[in-house]
Amino acid sequence: GLAARMIARAQPVFLICYWLCLVQGKEGSNASQAYVETDSLEESFHIDEEVQGVRLGDHDSAMAHLEAVRSVVNEMVRIQTGNEDACGVTAVKENDEPWKEAKSMKAQCSVLMSHNCTMSYVQLICPEECPFMATDKHFPCQFSCQPAMKCAESNADLPFSDTSKNLCAECEISGCRWCKSRTECGLCYNSYDLSEDAASCHFIAERGGWASYVVYVLYVLIAILIIVGIIYYNTKPWSPDQEHNQNCIIAGRRHRHLAKVHLWDMASQLYPMRWPSLAVDLNEENVIGVGMPLFYNSIWFTFCIALAGLAVSWTVYTVIDVETIIAVTKTNEMSMDMAIAGVDASKHRQAIYPAVVVTPLEHCAERSPFSIHDLLESFAVTNSWAMLCFWLGLFLFSLYYARAQRRYSRWFDSRHISMSDFVLSFSGLPDDFTDEIEIKEWVSSELKRLFPADIDKLEVEGVSVAYNYSEKEDEVNEMLERLYSLLEVDRVTDDDQSRDQEKKTLTEVCKADREKVNTWFTGSEAVKGTGEVFIVFKSSAAKDTVWSSVLKNRELFTHAKTGKTVEVSDVKSEPPDVFWQYLHLSRTEIRDRAVKTISRVFLLFVGINLLVSLPWNLFVTVPVSKAGSSAGADISMINGIIMAIMNGIIGGNIWGGAYGVGFHRKDKLDTFIFIVNMVFSLCNTSINLFLTAIATWRSKVSEESLFDDISECESIGTESEIVQNVYLMMVPGQLVTNTLMGIVNGAVIPFILNGLWQKILYIWACLPTPGLQLIRVILPWSPASITRYERFNAERAVMSGEIGLHCDYCFIITNLFILFSMLGMFSPYNWQALQALCLWCPFYWFVCRYIHLRVCSASYYSTNSLDWIVFFFWGIPLSLVAAAAAMWFVRAGMVLPGTDVNLKKLFVFGMFVLAYALWVMAFLLVSPVERSREVSEEDKIGTFEECKNRWIFTWFNCNPMFTLKCKYFIKDASGATTAKWKDKHPLASGEDPDNVRYFRTGKEYFFLSEVQQEKVEETFRDRSEVETWLENLLMLFSVGKKEVYRMRLKFGGLTESKSGNYISVDESAGAAESRSLLKK
């Protein structure tokens, strides 16, 4: 009865409560007003959709929410009957003073206030001298009363003094400090200039509109280039070598497909080449070495620790009920929009502003600063112990995982056969000891002396000498490339006459190469060795037998001439992973080169940050961020672009500089790139996080408040905003966008962009000579000529980058570093970020599979060196958890209470250093440095020929100098093997042991028979490749062009040449062979 009488008197109030209950989904929530007509709560009711602005369902749907309506009505009855305290200000905070109980429930000027209103009419009215109510950005039950021009002082996002509601509200003008209306600015921030029409604020760096002019000039230049290109395309002759160039471009695209990861089998006539499935079992199939499955194990390890962190943080934040302390901004903005819509629709709108808008759907009686004080203390204590337990569990689990990775590496090596299972390295030999047959006979005699009983089982397949050809490196590379040019000439030349001429030219050059190579291996000017040779055995069992004896006696082999002990070592790398041109360098020379490379990268890093990053952030980012979220959001995208360019420049210099250091093995190169890249990436990330925090802080509170007693809660809102900004940076930008950019940068952009430059420069020639020269500089691997394009250059231009597990590891560690660095701050976004990381891990697993198996060129990771070094950097985010635990103990007042803030900082940093030192020592105990691999009875036994059929590369055909020796020294001009070498030592070869071949990724098909090469031609593309779909589109375009030309052929003026092109019937036969339709 009481409810019915009240509804009859206050129908609008009832409807607002009901509507907000529906949209928020909370029974008993406090709400605004709207309009309801009803005769009986038990029967039916009618809702005015136009007034409420919400489209509800039919009568049955409305009846389903009847219970929610009843609870709202009962809540209002309780309020109206006086069962709730009076509504008004309950606490006041002046400047840096702690919260105090309010002497009066009336609002005051220039102080921060807290109230207990849930549903209010007129109690919260600001004084006339400061009539506008400004809500706190983070605490929904706290507000201040401000004059019109000072609305933004308490909340930079609310610069508009709305006289219709007496509220400080948002303004559409970015950079405005006080808005007269939502579209008119009265005063801009210091870093902005007010426009003449007061409709916008221009950033001071854009004064005069120069930025817009620069953009317009760029647009005009691009338009001019396009117009000139079209004119040249239609009026000027195309490249004179366009047919040759086009064939080279097509060969380059084909090479891109073939250079990717494939499973080869020279023994199979049906399937000599297979594409590995995207879901291939890396435990059963050795795709590129043990490094790949180790990396994918690390993704699932990341998932486990993210899941554990999510469970811990979510539990703490849920148990303490963090949402009663601080509100999530996005939810509050939605609730405020709903509340304002409902109030505006009500005829009692003036009676219920502004209190209901200040606290939409919040129980402020339970949100006093004093109750928040108690909750924060409880949270700090609980979270400190939770972080400590999380770090301890993570520490133990990480040690277990490190040990498991080491065991897995050994298990994988014992299960799969590769070329490293057949070879031992002999070092310390004389540098003139380079005759392979002589070395093979010496090793065989030594084995016969040392192992007389097992000599029949210890056969040596051959010897690969590490030559010192540093002064001839460029000549060697050019000679090897000419060998492939001779093999590829049929693919890049359609015309018989041109093909014969090309072959004749290459043959003449190869004759000169033969003469030069012969001087390298005879006489006093013969190329010396580095003192290292690779002894290749016929079976892995033979190698294991010898290696087991060497482990027992390191002085097993002694050279007869020198009398010195030969150093024997196990080789973990595969032949393509050996940098033969650098084997002559000593460790001291490599170290000096590495220091120089790091120094250059460091100077570049410092220079970029001092000249670009620091000025940009000091004079642009920070001033713009002070103007509120709307202004700061505009600059975030530009910051991201600048950081991406910086990281690209630094990463490119690290990559390029690392290859010139002179490492002997690729695993050493990979670890060097990872270490340097990881160090600079962490530095860049730290600078980014620091600037994000500075921009968010906006001088409201000191960063030292992070180490004060958390119960003071001065920095809580700002902390939450910082973590929120980092979360928004991570999701989707860092986690999703950057992950997908691997596909875009690796497949789409190089293929389309470089392909376009190739066409403009070497086919259409559709720009003036200076423009073509500029394109030549932009196009990777372009030759000096702007008319002639060779196959090698075309292949390199569109070839995708190698699989870079070092960069993928770096991405994982960086993400963990960012998220764990936020654990010392108070924010519900901490557990949401960890939740996003959990969802990202399976996504990253799939994307990496696709990038590694369908986008990148093949690269081999045959050791666990990279995975082992990653654990040292994993200790950094792991130690951040320990530092977060120490920080929360300080903030809870359980450690160093009342002491100087610098001592607290030192304590937290000390805990980080101590935790990292403890991790390094523990890790080295469970996974020490593996100097040499011991032989296990579980090792799989295989033969050299079986392994050669699977991998194609060997220790002979990967050796550049030995390949040239086989081609031009061991074989005579007629192609016959000299008597000295015949049947005494294997050549650098493939399926046919008599055909000399040099191994290069993407050229494996040349090692196969002609029948097998035809099979490869049928399967070298895969439907799941991005390039395959792009090429299909290009083919459709080409078919359309040919149909047009056939119509022109039929109705006038064109005829078809032997090569399939179309030419004018008026042209001579000679011109017809040299000019195609595209030139016309």
Side-chain angles (χ1 to χ4, degrees):
L2 178 63
R5 288 194 299 272
M6 191 191 75
I7 292 172
R9 293 195 302 266
Q11 292 176 354
V13 176
F14 171 66
L15 182 54
I16 282 189
C17 295
Y18 169 71
W19 172 69
L20 287 179
C21 180
L22 292 181
V23 298
Q24 190 69 8
K26 294 183 179 180
E27 293 188 359
S29 295
N30 309 295
S32 305
Q33 299 183 14
Y35 183 76
V36 168
E37 293 180 356
T38 179
D39 295 328
S40 171
L41 290 176
E42 298 293 336
E43 296 177 0
S44 64
F45 53 87
H46 171 71
I47 299 175
D48 189 342
E49 295 181 356
E50 292 184 0
V51 173
Q52 190 170 290
V54 178
R55 189 174 186 84
L56 298 178
D58 55 15
H59 173 78
D60 294 334
S61 176
M63 289 297 294
H65 300 284
L66 188 57
E67 291 300 324
V69 177
R70 288 172 177 165
S71 64
V72 175
V73 172
N74 292 333
E75 176 71 4
M76 295 188 64
V77 170
R78 183 181 66 81
I79 297 172
Q80 294 295 326
T81 54
N83 293 329
E84 184 176 275
D85 294 335
C87 170
V89 177
T90 58
V92 177
K93 179 177 176 59
E94 297 182 12
N95 299 324
D96 296 332
E97 298 295 326
W99 283 95
K100 298 178 182 179
E101 290 188 6
K103 298 178 180 180
S104 171
M105 301 192 76
K106 294 182 179 181
Q108 307 174 38
C109 291
S110 304
V111 294
L112 184 61
M113 294 167 284
S114 177
H115 66 88
N116 63 346
C117 297
T118 298
M119 186 67 191
S120 174
Y121 300 104
V122 295
Q123 288 92 331
L124 290 179
I125 301 298
C126 287
E128 292 183 3
E129 59 270 24
C130 52
F132 296 97
M133 182 174 291
T135 60
D136 188 86
K137 188 170 184 177
H138 306 288
F139 297 93
C141 296
Q142 296 177 11
F143 70 101
S144 62
C145 292
Q146 301 289 347
M149 297 182 64
K150 293 187 177 181
C151 269
E153 287 191 3
S154 58
N155 190 335
D157 293 341
L158 307 175
F160 170 44
S161 51
D162 189 351
T163 55
S164 65
K165 301 180 178 68
N166 285 344
L167 285 174
C168 293
E170 294 182 354
C171 178
E172 297 178 2
I173 303 175
S174 177
C176 186
R177 189 168 188 171
W178 170 55
C179 291
K180 295 180 180 180
S181 68
R182 292 190 183 274
T183 58
E184 182 182 2
C185 182
L187 179 66
C188 294
Y189 278 92
N190 293 334
S191 302
Y192 291 81
D193 291 331
L194 183 63
S195 63
E196 293 182 0
D197 58 358
S200 61
C201 291
H202 299 295
F203 187 59
I204 194 171
E206 298 178 351
R207 182 176 293 168
W210 66 269
S212 300
Y213 291 137
V214 170
V215 174
Y216 293 148
V217 169
L218 289 176
Y219 286 157
V220 171
L221 290 176
I222 293 173
I224 292 175
L225 286 176
I226 293 175
I227 293 172
V228 171
I230 293 174
I231 294 173
Y232 269 71
Y233 179 91
N234 289 281
T235 61
K236 299 294 182 179
W238 291 6
S239 174
D241 296 316
Q242 59 157 329
E243 280 195 53
H244 170 82
N245 296 346
Q246 179 63 34
N247 289 330
C248 289
I249 291 173
I250 294 174
R253 294 174 185 169
R254 178 177 178 275
H255 176 75
R256 179 183 173 93
H257 292 280
L258 290 167
K260 296 180 181 180
V261 176
H262 301 104
L263 303 177
W264 297 92
D265 187 1
M266 285 199 303
S268 174
Q269 296 297 318
L270 293 177
Y271 305 105
M273 187 201 79
R274 293 181 294 115
W275 285 89
S277 168
L278 292 175
V280 61
D281 186 354
L282 297 177
N283 299 319
E284 299 297 328
E285 188 74 63
N286 186 2
V287 179
I288 60 170
V290 68
M292 179 173 275
L294 289 175
F295 167 74
Y296 284 100
N297 290 345
S298 69
I299 296 180
W300 293 117
F301 170 71
T302 305
F303 174 78
C304 292
I305 62 179
L307 188 62
L310 171 62
V312 171
S313 58
W314 179 83
T315 301
V316 173
Y317 279 86
T318 303
V319 169
I320 303 301
D321 193 12
V322 168
E323 290 194 1
T324 63
I325 301 176
I326 191 168
V328 180
T329 304
K330 185 177 180 181
T331 303
N332 281 339
E333 289 174 355
M334 290 176 59
S335 303
M336 183 172 288
D337 292 340
M338 296 173 185
I340 291 176
V343 172
D344 285 339
S346 171
K347 60 184 179 182
H348 298 282
R349 58 192 303 273
Q350 294 299 333
I352 59 177
Y353 274 125
V356 73
V357 182
V358 174
T359 58
L361 308 176
E362 303 292 351
H363 291 276
C364 287
E366 301 174 2
R367 288 178 178 264
S368 71
F370 310 107
S371 62
I372 291 177
H373 178 282
D374 297 334
L375 285 172
L376 286 173
E377 284 188 340
S378 177
F379 175 85
V381 173
T382 305
N383 201 40
S384 59
W385 288 109
M387 286 293 104
L388 180 61
C389 293
F390 178 47
W391 171 76
L392 183 60
L394 204 56
F395 186 90
L396 297 175
F397 180 59
S398 300
L399 290 177
Y400 168 79
Y401 171 71
R403 188 66 178 174
Q405 286 285 83
R406 190 182 186 90
R407 289 197 301 266
Y408 178 87
S409 178
R410 291 175 177 173
W411 172 85
F412 188 93
D413 185 65
S414 65
R415 188 177 179 85
H416 299 281
I417 291 293
S418 63
M419 278 295 165
S420 61
D421 294 316
F422 300 89
V423 66
L424 289 174
S425 170
F426 281 38
S427 305
L429 296 172
D431 58 5
D432 58 351
F433 194 35
T434 58
D435 188 299
E436 284 81 2
I437 294 179
E438 183 180 353
I439 297 174
K440 180 180 178 181
E441 292 174 349
W442 169 72
V443 172
S444 298
S445 63
E446 286 292 294
L447 293 176
K448 185 176 182 180
R449 177 179 65 83
L450 297 171
F451 307 95
D454 300 325
I455 189 59
D456 294 336
K457 302 178 182 179
L458 304 181
E459 293 185 75
V460 176
E461 176 73 17
V463 174
S464 186
V465 177
Y467 291 94
N468 181 359
Y469 64 100
S470 58
E471 297 180 357
K472 301 176 175 62
E473 182 180 349
D474 293 337
E475 289 182 276
V476 170
N477 292 334
E478 291 173 2
M479 290 180 182
L480 293 172
E481 189 52 44
R482 278 192 284 272
L483 292 180
Y484 274 120
S485 297
L486 201 56
L487 295 172
E488 295 271 14
V489 67
D490 292 335
R491 296 184 185 277
V492 299
T493 308
D494 291 333
D495 179 64
D496 294 339
Q497 183 178 353
S498 299
R499 184 186 305 112
D500 293 340
Q501 181 63 37
E502 185 77 15
K503 285 184 177 179
K504 182 178 179 181
T505 302
L506 287 172
T507 302
E508 292 297 324
V509 178
C510 288
K511 287 182 180 179
D513 292 343
R514 177 181 296 276
E515 295 177 0
K516 184 173 292 186
V517 169
N518 273 272
T519 63
W520 292 352
F521 298 102
T522 56
S524 58
E525 297 183 0
V527 177
K528 302 293 183 180
T530 62
E532 180 180 12
V533 298
F534 298 94
I535 309 301
V536 185
F537 295 87
K538 285 185 175 292
S539 71
S540 59
K543 177 261 181 98
D544 290 342
T545 300
V546 176
W547 178 240
S548 298
S549 300
V550 170
L551 289 176
K552 298 175 183 177
N553 180 13
R554 288 290 183 178
E555 300 180 356
L556 193 65
F557 291 89
T558 304
H559 193 262
K561 292 183 178 180
T562 62
K564 297 181 179 180
T565 301
V566 178
E567 181 182 352
V568 182
S569 59
D570 189 18
V571 180
K572 301 177 183 178
S573 301
E574 301 302 321
D577 294 342
V578 176
F579 295 110
W580 302 86
Q581 69 272 29
Y582 294 135
L583 293 180
H584 67 283
L585 295 176
S586 64
R587 292 183 178 180
T588 303
E589 291 175 306
I590 295 174
R591 185 181 65 247
D592 293 341
R593 288 187 173 196
V595 171
K596 291 179 181 179
T597 299
I598 295 173
S599 300
R600 285 195 299 268
V601 175
F602 177 75
L603 291 176
L604 177 65
F605 172 80
V606 173
I608 289 178
N609 278 280
L610 289 179
L611 299 177
V612 180
S613 181
L614 188 60
W616 173 264
N617 283 282
L618 286 179
F619 301 111
V620 179
T621 303
V622 174
V624 169
S625 299
K626 290 181 179 180
S629 300
S630 60
D634 296 334
I635 210 69
S636 297
M637 180 178 67
I638 302 177
N639 278 338
I641 295 174
I642 291 176
M643 290 304 299
I645 295 174
M646 288 172 54
N647 289 332
I649 294 173
I650 294 172
N653 276 269
I654 292 173
W655 185 286
Y659 275 91
V661 170
F663 293 103
H664 294 181
R665 309 283 192 271
K666 182 177 176 295
D667 58 339
K668 302 296 183 184
L669 172 70
D670 292 331
T671 55
F672 176 80
I673 294 176
F674 171 76
I675 292 172
V676 178
N677 199 21
M678 193 75 253
V679 170
F680 286 105
S681 178
L682 291 179
C683 291
N684 250 347
T685 302
S686 300
I687 294 173
N688 231 355
L689 293 176
F690 175 75
L691 293 174
T692 300
I694 292 298
T696 306
W697 229 282
R698 298 175 192 151
S699 303
K700 293 180 185 176
V701 292
S702 171
E703 68 277 5
E704 293 182 353
S705 58
L706 287 172
F707 298 89
D708 291 337
D709 189 341
I710 193 175
S711 60
E712 297 298 330
C713 71
E714 288 189 16
S715 65
I716 295 302
T718 308
E719 289 178 39
S720 182
E721 188 177 352
I722 291 173
V723 181
Q724 180 188 2
N725 289 338
V726 173
Y727 171 80
L728 294 176
M729 180 185 70
M730 296 289 293
V731 182
Q734 176 78 359
L735 294 181
V736 179
T737 306
N738 285 2
T739 303
L740 292 177
M741 284 305 293
I743 298 177
V744 177
N745 292 331
V748 180
I749 292 180
F751 186 85
I752 295 178
L753 198 59
N754 292 343
L756 177 62
W757 300 144
Q758 289 174 333
K759 287 281 191 177
I760 292 175
L761 181 58
Y762 293 108
I763 303 298
W764 304 327
C766 58
L767 285 176
T769 301
L772 296 178
Q773 290 288 359
L774 178 62
I775 298 296
R776 187 189 67 82
V777 174
I778 298 174
L779 179 63
W781 292 91
S782 58
S785 172
I786 61 172
T787 57
R788 182 82 173 179
Y789 200 41
E790 298 299 339
R791 172 198 52 80
F792 170 78
N793 306 101
E795 290 177 351
R796 293 291 176 173
V798 297
M799 185 176 177
S800 55
E802 294 181 349
I803 296 174
L805 294 185
H806 37 72
C807 296
D808 299 329
Y809 273 117
C810 183
F811 192 46
I812 293 176
I813 299 297
T814 301
N815 289 334
L816 291 171
F817 175 82
I818 294 173
L819 296 184
F820 285 1
S821 63
M822 297 292 106
L823 293 179
M825 296 185 182
F826 176 91
S827 176
Y829 281 96
N830 273 322
W831 71 262
Q832 294 182 38
L834 290 169
Q835 181 187 46
L837 188 64
C838 287
L839 298 175
W840 171 77
C841 286
F843 169 74
Y844 188 58
W845 181 91
F846 176 79
V847 172
C848 283
R849 282 273 183 147
Y850 183 80
I851 292 176
H852 293 161
L853 300 179
R854 292 297 184 271
V855 175
C856 291
S857 299
S859 179
Y860 300 94
Y861 292 84
S862 50
T863 72
N864 67 333
S865 301
L866 180 59
D867 183 78
W868 185 79
I869 208 71
V870 167
F871 280 101
F872 289 95
F873 285 89
W874 156 238
I876 295 176
L878 176 62
S879 301
L880 284 175
V881 180
M887 192 169 180
W888 281 109
F889 274 108
V890 170
R891 303 187 75 181
M894 293 187 289
V895 176
L896 303 176
T899 57
D900 182 68
V901 68
N902 292 321
L903 184 60
K904 295 177 180 179
K905 291 180 180 179
L906 184 61
F907 170 74
V908 173
F909 180 73
M911 288 297 102
F912 171 81
V913 174
L914 181 62
Y916 184 76
L918 183 63
W919 163 251
V920 171
M921 290 187 293
F923 171 69
L924 290 176
L925 284 176
V926 301
S927 183
V929 179
E930 189 174 14
R931 298 297 182 184
S932 58
R933 184 183 67 88
E934 296 182 358
V935 178
S936 172
E937 296 180 356
E938 299 177 356
D939 289 350
K940 186 176 181 179
I941 304 302
T943 64
F944 178 82
E945 283 300 320
E946 293 173 349
C947 190
K948 180 182 177 181
N949 289 334
R950 164 60 184 89
W951 292 105
I952 295 184
F953 57 72
T954 67
W955 292 97
F956 311 120
N957 58 34
C958 286
N959 189 331
M961 287 295 289
F962 183 69
T963 301
L964 293 176
K965 187 175 184 178
C966 292
K967 182 68 176 178
Y968 296 129
F969 183 76
I970 297 177
K971 283 183 169 291
D972 57 25
S974 63
T977 305
T978 56
K980 176 185 176 182
W981 289 84
K982 192 172 183 62
D983 299 328
K984 293 184 179 180
H985 194 279
L987 302 180
S989 62
E991 184 267 345
D992 185 349
D994 202 42
N995 281 342
V996 176
R997 295 288 185 267
Y998 174 67
F999 181 85
R1000 179 179 289 164
T1001 301
K1003 302 297 183 182
E1004 290 91 342
Y1005 59 94
F1006 278 123
F1007 290 74
L1008 306 176
S1009 65
E1010 292 184 0
V1011 175
Q1012 291 174 317
Q1013 290 187 34
E1014 293 177 0
K1015 294 293 183 181
V1016 172
E1017 289 295 328
E1018 298 173 2
T1019 59
F1020 75 89
R1021 288 184 179 91
D1022 187 78
R1023 292 181 180 179
S1024 58
E1025 288 182 286
V1026 175
E1027 301 91 318
T1028 299
W1029 293 94
L1030 294 175
E1031 286 174 345
N1032 289 339
L1033 291 175
L1034 292 176
M1035 289 174 64
L1036 290 175
F1037 178 69
S1038 299
V1039 170
K1041 287 199 301 182
K1042 285 194 175 184
E1043 290 300 323
V1044 173
Y1045 293 141
R1046 286 194 180 98
M1047 293 293 292
R1048 292 183 62 189
L1049 173 68
K1050 181 177 180 180
F1051 294 106
L1054 294 180
T1055 186
E1056 189 170 359
S1057 68
K1058 293 180 180 180
S1059 61
N1061 295 316
Y1062 302 101
I1063 60 173
S1064 171
V1065 294
D1066 297 330
E1067 292 183 6
S1068 64
E1073 292 297 326
S1074 62
R1075 298 182 63 190
S1076 66
L1077 174 71
L1078 295 180
K1079 179 188 271 189
K1080 289 289 292 181

